[in-house]
Amino acid sequence: GPQLYNGTYGHELLSSALNGVALLQGTQWDLGQDAVAFLEKVVLVGLARMSYGNWFDYNAMGWGVSRNGSHHKASAFVNDIEKLLELEGPNTGELQRLRNEIAFDGNVQGTRGTGVSSFWYADFLTYQRPDFYTSVRMVSNRTEYNEKGNGEGIQHRYFGDGVNFILVNGNEYDNIPPVWNYEQL
């Protein structure tokens, strides 16, 4: 929607939806394999295209960037991927590869294919090749600048000014947010 928060609020929504689908499985309210396939798509099109190894794109995290350990946010999704694998949907092979890539916190070269992902509604674009990842986010009349909450993310409004991230090893931005000059991103 108007703000891109897949790494924070979106993660909580995904986890809650997965818990609901798993809880209802085998009951009269079972949502079936269509629900599982939908949640797999959320992970494989969202998470997989917004992360590189264990690094989750800061452009898709909102004020969560300011939290300790935010540079390894993708690992928070491993439990969700495990739950999806238990639900035995149609994309288990892709999910296992993604889980292994996120869990391996080393050099991620060669683990992903090539592709451009345009999240047009969020003014966000990623481009991945086996040897690098890059993204850019802007703010338009469809979107809004990041909010600040709980005293966090006070300078993150600048992320909508065209911030471009480039990764080769997946650790280029580890622990850097505290020293950034946000007005120059």
Side-chain angles (χ1 to χ4, degrees):
Q3 297 178 334
L4 186 58
Y5 282 80
N6 285 38
T8 50
Y9 298 125
H11 177 231
E12 296 304 319
L13 179 61
L14 173 65
S15 294
S16 297
L18 272 168
N19 287 335
V21 169
L23 182 67
L24 297 174
Q25 194 175 36
T27 71
Q28 64 183 4
W29 301 285
D30 192 328
L31 298 173
Q33 284 299 302
D34 287 344
V36 175
F38 174 79
L39 293 173
E40 285 182 342
K41 185 176 179 183
V42 168
V43 169
L44 294 170
V45 175
L47 167 64
R49 298 296 178 197
M50 295 179 178
S51 63
Y52 189 69
N54 195 12
W55 185 81
F56 195 87
D57 198 313
Y58 289 158
N59 277 320
M61 287 184 61
W63 51 265
V65 172
S66 61
R67 292 195 168 170
N68 188 27
S70 65
H71 57 291
H72 292 292
K73 176 64 180 170
S75 63
F77 287 87
V78 170
N79 287 338
D80 298 321
I81 295 170
E82 293 287 344
K83 283 181 190 173
L84 273 172
L85 288 168
E86 289 173 13
L87 294 172
E88 299 178 351
N91 300 296
T92 56
E94 290 178 70
L95 287 168
Q96 287 171 339
R97 280 190 293 280
L98 180 60
R99 179 199 57 204
N100 293 342
E101 178 184 320
I102 292 170
F104 175 68
D105 190 23
N107 190 329
V108 295
Q109 292 181 349
T111 58
R112 296 253 175 118
T114 299
V116 173
S117 297
S118 174
F119 301 92
W120 65 270
Y121 193 68
D123 296 327
F124 179 60
L125 182 122
T126 66
Y127 179 64
Q128 295 184 19
R129 292 186 51 93
D131 55 349
F132 77 93
Y133 170 97
T134 187
S135 71
V136 67
R137 176 174 172 242
M138 301 288 288
V139 171
S140 72
N141 59 357
R142 288 184 303 273
T143 57
E144 296 179 17
Y145 287 92
N146 291 347
E147 69 180 355
K148 53 186 177 214
N150 304 327
E152 299 173 305
I154 295 169
Q155 298 293 318
H156 296 148
R157 67 181 174 273
Y158 296 107
F159 272 51
D161 290 340
V163 174
N164 175 231
F165 291 106
I166 300 170
L167 288 97
V168 174
N169 295 316
N171 61 0
E172 286 84 351
Y173 301 99
D174 283 7
N175 298 313
I176 198 169
V179 296
W180 266 337
N181 180 341
Y182 283 85
E183 293 178 22
Q184 294 181 349
L185 291 176

